PDB file of all heavy atoms in Angstrom:
ATOM      1  N   GLN A  37     -10.149  -4.112  20.627  1.00 90.00           N
ATOM      2  CA  GLN A  37      -9.841  -5.559  20.991  1.00 90.00           C
ATOM      3  C   GLN A  37      -8.366  -5.618  21.456  1.00 90.00           C
ATOM      4  O   GLN A  37      -7.499  -5.017  20.796  1.00 90.00           O
ATOM      5  CB  GLN A  37     -10.092  -6.492  19.792  1.00 90.00           C
ATOM      6  CG  GLN A  37      -9.932  -7.865  20.062  1.00 90.00           C
ATOM      7  CD  GLN A  37     -10.342  -8.777  18.870  1.00 90.00           C
ATOM      8  OE1 GLN A  37     -10.663  -8.262  17.814  1.00 90.00           O
ATOM      9  NE2 GLN A  37     -10.273 -10.111  18.995  1.00 90.00           N
ATOM     10  N   LEU A  38      -8.194  -6.190  22.587  1.00 87.00           N
ATOM     11  CA  LEU A  38      -6.887  -6.300  23.197  1.00 87.00           C
ATOM     12  C   LEU A  38      -6.206  -4.914  23.459  1.00 87.00           C
ATOM     13  O   LEU A  38      -4.987  -4.729  23.239  1.00 87.00           O
ATOM     14  CB  LEU A  38      -5.971  -7.179  22.390  1.00 87.00           C
ATOM     15  CG  LEU A  38      -6.411  -8.642  22.212  1.00 87.00           C
ATOM     16  CD1 LEU A  38      -5.387  -9.465  21.348  1.00 87.00           C
ATOM     17  CD2 LEU A  38      -6.541  -9.301  23.566  1.00 87.00           C
ATOM     18  N   GLY A  39      -7.019  -3.970  23.769  1.00 87.00           N
ATOM     19  CA  GLY A  39      -6.556  -2.670  23.999  1.00 87.00           C
ATOM     20  C   GLY A  39      -6.189  -1.858  22.756  1.00 87.00           C
ATOM     21  O   GLY A  39      -5.685  -0.694  22.924  1.00 87.00           O
ATOM     22  N   LYS A  40      -6.495  -2.345  21.568  1.00 90.00           N
ATOM     23  CA  LYS A  40      -6.085  -1.645  20.350  1.00 90.00           C
ATOM     24  C   LYS A  40      -7.440  -1.311  19.591  1.00 90.00           C
ATOM     25  O   LYS A  40      -8.447  -2.032  19.651  1.00 90.00           O
ATOM     26  CB  LYS A  40      -5.320  -2.579  19.421  1.00 90.00           C
ATOM     27  CG  LYS A  40      -4.007  -2.961  20.029  1.00 90.00           C
ATOM     28  CD  LYS A  40      -3.056  -1.814  20.137  1.00 90.00           C
ATOM     29  CE  LYS A  40      -1.639  -2.308  20.653  1.00 90.00           C
ATOM     30  NZ  LYS A  40      -0.692  -1.137  20.775  1.00 90.00           N
ATOM     31  N   PRO A  41      -7.402  -0.115  19.019  1.00 93.00           N
ATOM     32  CA  PRO A  41      -8.635   0.275  18.213  1.00 93.00           C
ATOM     33  C   PRO A  41      -8.844  -0.652  16.921  1.00 93.00           C
ATOM     34  O   PRO A  41      -7.922  -0.992  16.281  1.00 93.00           O
ATOM     35  CB  PRO A  41      -8.401   1.727  17.736  1.00 93.00           C
ATOM     36  CG  PRO A  41      -6.852   1.882  17.771  1.00 93.00           C
ATOM     37  CD  PRO A  41      -6.394   0.917  18.909  1.00 93.00           C
ATOM     38  N   VAL A  42     -10.027  -0.998  16.706  1.00 94.00           N
ATOM     39  CA  VAL A  42     -10.386  -1.866  15.593  1.00 94.00           C
ATOM     40  C   VAL A  42     -11.484  -1.162  14.717  1.00 94.00           C
ATOM     41  O   VAL A  42     -12.453  -0.529  15.338  1.00 94.00           O
ATOM     42  CB  VAL A  42     -10.900  -3.192  16.018  1.00 94.00           C
ATOM     43  CG1 VAL A  42     -11.165  -4.113  14.783  1.00 94.00           C
ATOM     44  CG2 VAL A  42      -9.739  -3.932  16.810  1.00 94.00           C
ATOM     45  N   SER A  43     -11.435  -1.302  13.441  1.00 94.00           N
ATOM     46  CA  SER A  43     -12.606  -0.683  12.548  1.00 94.00           C
ATOM     47  C   SER A  43     -12.856  -1.653  11.526  1.00 94.00           C
ATOM     48  O   SER A  43     -11.989  -2.473  11.005  1.00 94.00           O
ATOM     49  CB  SER A  43     -12.136   0.633  11.985  1.00 94.00           C
ATOM     50  OG  SER A  43     -10.923   0.545  11.225  1.00 94.00           O
ATOM     51  N   PHE A  44     -14.073  -1.619  10.981  1.00 95.00           N
ATOM     52  CA  PHE A  44     -14.609  -2.528   9.966  1.00 95.00           C
ATOM     53  C   PHE A  44     -15.365  -1.765   8.905  1.00 95.00           C
ATOM     54  O   PHE A  44     -15.867  -0.639   9.112  1.00 95.00           O
ATOM     55  CB  PHE A  44     -15.636  -3.501  10.526  1.00 95.00           C
ATOM     56  CG  PHE A  44     -15.079  -4.494  11.544  1.00 95.00           C
ATOM     57  CD1 PHE A  44     -15.128  -4.091  12.900  1.00 95.00           C
ATOM     58  CD2 PHE A  44     -14.601  -5.683  11.254  1.00 95.00           C
ATOM     59  CE1 PHE A  44     -14.657  -4.967  13.903  1.00 95.00           C
ATOM     60  CE2 PHE A  44     -14.128  -6.570  12.181  1.00 95.00           C
ATOM     61  CZ  PHE A  44     -14.192  -6.232  13.509  1.00 95.00           C
ATOM     62  N   SER A  45     -15.455  -2.331   7.693  1.00 94.00           N
ATOM     63  CA  SER A  45     -16.383  -1.961   6.724  1.00 94.00           C
ATOM     64  C   SER A  45     -17.262  -3.220   6.489  1.00 94.00           C
ATOM     65  O   SER A  45     -17.479  -3.976   7.396  1.00 94.00           O
ATOM     66  CB  SER A  45     -15.798  -1.389   5.434  1.00 94.00           C
ATOM     67  OG  SER A  45     -15.045  -2.358   4.768  1.00 94.00           O
ATOM     68  N   THR A  46     -17.706  -3.466   5.255  1.00 94.00           N
ATOM     69  CA  THR A  46     -18.446  -4.751   4.947  1.00 94.00           C
ATOM     70  C   THR A  46     -17.379  -5.813   4.659  1.00 94.00           C
ATOM     71  O   THR A  46     -17.627  -6.968   4.957  1.00 94.00           O
ATOM     72  CB  THR A  46     -19.395  -4.542   3.898  1.00 94.00           C
ATOM     73  OG1 THR A  46     -18.672  -4.202   2.659  1.00 94.00           O
ATOM     74  CG2 THR A  46     -20.439  -3.529   4.214  1.00 94.00           C
ATOM     75  N   PHE A  47     -16.280  -5.524   3.995  1.00 95.00           N
ATOM     76  CA  PHE A  47     -15.337  -6.529   3.489  1.00 95.00           C
ATOM     77  C   PHE A  47     -13.893  -6.173   3.791  1.00 95.00           C
ATOM     78  O   PHE A  47     -13.063  -6.927   3.354  1.00 95.00           O
ATOM     79  CB  PHE A  47     -15.471  -6.747   1.981  1.00 95.00           C
ATOM     80  CG  PHE A  47     -15.124  -5.531   1.124  1.00 95.00           C
ATOM     81  CD1 PHE A  47     -13.844  -5.457   0.611  1.00 95.00           C
ATOM     82  CD2 PHE A  47     -16.004  -4.522   0.956  1.00 95.00           C
ATOM     83  CE1 PHE A  47     -13.517  -4.322  -0.169  1.00 95.00           C
ATOM     84  CE2 PHE A  47     -15.662  -3.429   0.228  1.00 95.00           C
ATOM     85  CZ  PHE A  47     -14.457  -3.342  -0.377  1.00 95.00           C
ATOM     86  N   ARG A  48     -13.688  -5.231   4.693  1.00 94.00           N
ATOM     87  CA  ARG A  48     -12.288  -4.806   5.017  1.00 94.00           C
ATOM     88  C   ARG A  48     -12.344  -4.596   6.577  1.00 94.00           C
ATOM     89  O   ARG A  48     -13.280  -4.317   7.246  1.00 94.00           O
ATOM     90  CB  ARG A  48     -11.821  -3.539   4.334  1.00 94.00           C
ATOM     91  CG  ARG A  48     -11.805  -3.685   2.838  1.00 94.00           C
ATOM     92  CD  ARG A  48     -11.226  -2.451   2.239  1.00 94.00           C
ATOM     93  NE  ARG A  48      -9.782  -2.462   2.504  1.00 94.00           N
ATOM     94  CZ  ARG A  48      -9.001  -1.414   2.397  1.00 94.00           C
ATOM     95  NH1 ARG A  48      -9.567  -0.158   2.171  1.00 94.00           N
ATOM     96  NH2 ARG A  48      -7.699  -1.409   2.683  1.00 94.00           N
ATOM     97  N   ARG A  49     -11.088  -4.645   7.169  1.00 94.00           N
ATOM     98  CA  ARG A  49     -10.900  -4.492   8.581  1.00 94.00           C
ATOM     99  C   ARG A  49      -9.528  -3.950   8.851  1.00 94.00           C
ATOM    100  O   ARG A  49      -8.507  -4.135   8.197  1.00 94.00           O
ATOM    101  CB  ARG A  49     -11.000  -5.910   9.264  1.00 94.00           C
ATOM    102  CG  ARG A  49     -10.606  -5.834  10.757  1.00 94.00           C
ATOM    103  CD  ARG A  49     -10.793  -7.208  11.493  1.00 94.00           C
ATOM    104  NE  ARG A  49     -10.415  -7.063  12.812  1.00 94.00           N
ATOM    105  CZ  ARG A  49     -10.853  -7.853  13.760  1.00 94.00           C
ATOM    106  NH1 ARG A  49     -11.677  -8.844  13.442  1.00 94.00           N
ATOM    107  NH2 ARG A  49     -10.329  -7.782  15.025  1.00 94.00           N
TER     108      ARG A  49
END
Side-chain angles (χ1 to χ4, degrees):
Q37 189 173 357
L38 299 179
K40 300 291 184 180
V42 178
S43 60
F44 298 89
S45 65
T46 59
F47 63 98
R48 300 188 69 202
R49 171 176 178 155

